[in-house]
Amino acid sequence: IDNFDFTPPARVTSIKGSYSSEDSSITLNWTNPADSDFDHVEISYTFTDITGDSVKSKPEVVTGTEKTFEGIDGNKIRYTYYIASVDKLGNKSNEVKYNVSVNKTVSNVPEGFVEIPSASIAGTESWTPSSSVFVSGRKLEIASFYMSDHPVTRGEYKTLMGKDPSSASAYDKDGNRLTGDDAVKNNPVNNISWYDALVYCNTLSIKEKLTPCYAISGSTNPDDWGSVPTNNNSTWNAATCDFTADGYRLPTEAEWEWAARGGESYTYAGSDDIDEVAWYTSNTNDTGTRDVKTKKANAYGLYDMSGNVWEWCWDWYDWNISSGTPDAGPASGSGRCLRGCSWNSSAGRARVASRLVNSPYNRDDYCGFRLVRNAN
């Protein structure tokens, strides 16, 4: 009995996948963990078509670091593989999820966005790491949605709004200071208030002939809203969101955390090693933001969900979320919720479960935002 070890092995890394339409096959490659007692991996899969996700297949035992799956249906949208490491005693790691696109012609995902799968959360689940949003008894229905794979950049913001309000210094991934509009364009926009984010969302929706999500005083046209307040404003605080509209909006806090977790159980969005996925105080030395998409993405293909800039969510901040808290947060409050950590925050703040509150009119050099759209 003294020799029994119930510690699961480490997960596989460096997964790569390729689809061959000629052979109707998908080939996966990966790196096995270095654990001395590692024995094999178990791989199962689902496929996605216009009706949704299939039932997960039975796991298949695979030795080595490569597996080719035959008989792939090119009419599906994608195949999702779930890979678990198994040691010689049968201990099994958490699964690593990897998507392989098949038929790109049937996908309506906007450029620069990824599709986040729907979820029915019963309030009885156990979450690793633990969550302050997915709490006991809180039932949530999260419809599938599209989320930008990066926070809105300085270049994107200036192209639409005609100005870049950012106040944080900009750097590339190697720590070189960047100056000039062209050089800083891929850093996340910052010094953005929650009010500013609503204006951007509706302005972009109108430009692309989509139905705007937000209304203030009954109007969805930001030109009718007047100047963006720099103090707390009851009219702007009473903004409403049409969650059925096809325009751009901020994620709810539940949507944000569901997407950040990526179907995994990592401490940070995509890894237990914070330096793989996040720009935060220890690797920026509190100097400023970094170019987006220069760290590893999570399993859903989202970059910078941990670190770089805090991201505004729709919800009023609820200090103690309970089973009765609505899906989109409480009806009122004193501050709006931000998620994700920033370039000048500690590692603890970068956890997928970490939360922050700020007044909706505040503009800080660590606050930015990310866009979502309905997938239906």
Side-chain angles (χ1 to χ4, degrees):
I1 292 176
D2 290 341
N3 291 329
F4 276 97
D5 178 10
F6 299 104
T7 304
R11 289 177 274 203
V12 300
T13 58
S14 305
I15 305 171
K16 295 181 181 179
S18 60
Y19 166 63
S20 171
S21 57
E22 182 178 351
D23 297 333
S24 298
S25 67
I26 290 176
T27 298
L28 295 181
N29 297 274
W30 61 89
T31 299
N32 285 326
D35 301 37
S36 60
D37 60 347
F38 169 80
D39 188 69
H40 64 272
V41 298
E42 291 183 358
I43 305 178
S44 56
Y45 68 89
T46 59
F47 59 77
T48 303
D49 56 23
I50 59 174
T51 65
D53 294 333
S54 69
V55 175
K56 186 188 267 189
S57 69
K58 293 182 179 179
E60 181 175 350
V61 173
V62 181
T63 57
T65 59
E66 181 175 299
K67 170 65 177 178
T68 297
F69 295 85
E70 308 285 352
I72 300 300
D73 185 349
N75 292 316
K76 307 303 181 186
I77 296 173
R78 65 176 172 268
Y79 280 72
T80 302
Y81 292 91
Y82 306 83
I83 309 175
S85 304
V86 184
D87 65 19
K88 295 176 182 177
L89 291 176
N91 298 311
K92 187 184 300 185
S93 73
N94 289 333
E95 295 172 329
V96 179
K97 186 164 69 172
Y98 189 84
N99 293 317
V100 180
S101 297
V102 179
N103 185 352
K104 298 181 184 297
T105 63
V106 300
S107 175
N108 293 317
V109 181
E111 183 179 359
F113 284 67
V114 297
E115 185 173 355
I116 309 302
S118 61
S120 293
I121 296 172
T124 58
E125 298 86 352
S126 177
W127 298 91
T128 303
S130 61
S131 175
S132 298
V133 171
F134 303 135
V135 298
S136 177
R138 189 186 186 198
K139 296 181 179 180
L140 291 164
E141 290 294 330
I142 300 177
S144 60
F145 61 97
Y146 303 134
M147 175 175 266
S148 176
D149 67 5
H150 63 279
V152 174
T153 64
R154 294 173 66 159
E156 290 168 336
Y157 194 92
K158 185 171 184 179
T159 296
L160 182 70
M161 304 302 297
K163 62 180 180 179
D164 175 11
S166 302
S167 56
S169 298
Y171 292 80
D172 66 16
K173 66 181 180 61
D174 298 316
N176 299 308
R177 177 78 179 272
L178 304 173
T179 58
D181 288 349
D182 191 59
V184 306
K185 66 182 181 182
N186 290 321
N187 265 233
V189 70
N190 55 85
N191 201 34
I192 293 292
S193 71
W194 185 85
Y195 298 153
D196 291 325
L198 266 56
V199 173
Y200 183 94
C201 288
N202 272 27
T203 301
L204 185 58
S205 297
I206 292 170
K207 178 183 177 182
E208 297 188 3
K209 299 184 179 353
L210 302 172
T211 303
C213 295
Y214 299 121
I216 294 178
S217 297
S219 174
T220 59
N221 187 347
D223 291 342
D224 298 333
W225 298 352
S227 300
V228 179
T230 56
N231 293 292
N232 201 41
N233 186 284
S234 59
T235 300
W236 284 62
N237 289 344
T240 59
C241 180
D242 179 1
F243 287 99
T244 67
D246 64 355
Y248 296 97
R249 60 178 176 84
L250 299 174
T252 66
E253 190 179 11
E255 287 173 333
W256 190 97
E257 185 169 324
W258 174 248
R261 287 176 178 268
E264 302 171 314
S265 300
Y266 289 129
T267 303
Y268 311 103
S271 180
D272 285 328
D273 180 355
I274 185 173
D275 288 300
E276 279 193 324
V277 295
W279 293 113
Y280 69 115
T281 184
S282 293
N283 58 22
T284 67
N285 296 314
D286 294 338
T287 51
T289 59
R290 298 300 192 266
D291 281 337
V292 301
K293 300 176 66 169
T294 53
K295 289 288 188 177
K296 176 186 172 185
N298 74 356
Y300 288 158
L302 300 169
Y303 298 85
D304 299 286
M305 291 293 277
S306 290
N308 225 347
V309 288
W310 286 97
E311 299 177 5
W312 288 107
C313 294
W314 163 255
D315 310 36
W316 286 107
Y317 190 86
D318 193 338
W319 295 92
N320 293 294
I321 291 176
S322 68
S323 60
T325 302
D327 286 17
S332 62
S334 58
R336 296 283 178 169
C337 182
L338 297 107
R339 301 297 299 264
C341 177
S342 73
W343 55 272
N344 61 356
S345 296
S346 66
R349 288 291 199 176
R351 294 176 295 111
V352 292
S354 184
R355 311 169 69 223
L356 186 70
V357 60
N358 203 345
S359 298
Y361 61 86
N362 270 354
R363 294 180 174 127
D364 292 298
D365 59 6
Y366 54 81
C367 292
F369 65 109
R370 184 184 301 252
L371 301 176
V372 303
R373 284 182 59 191
N374 289 341
N376 57 357

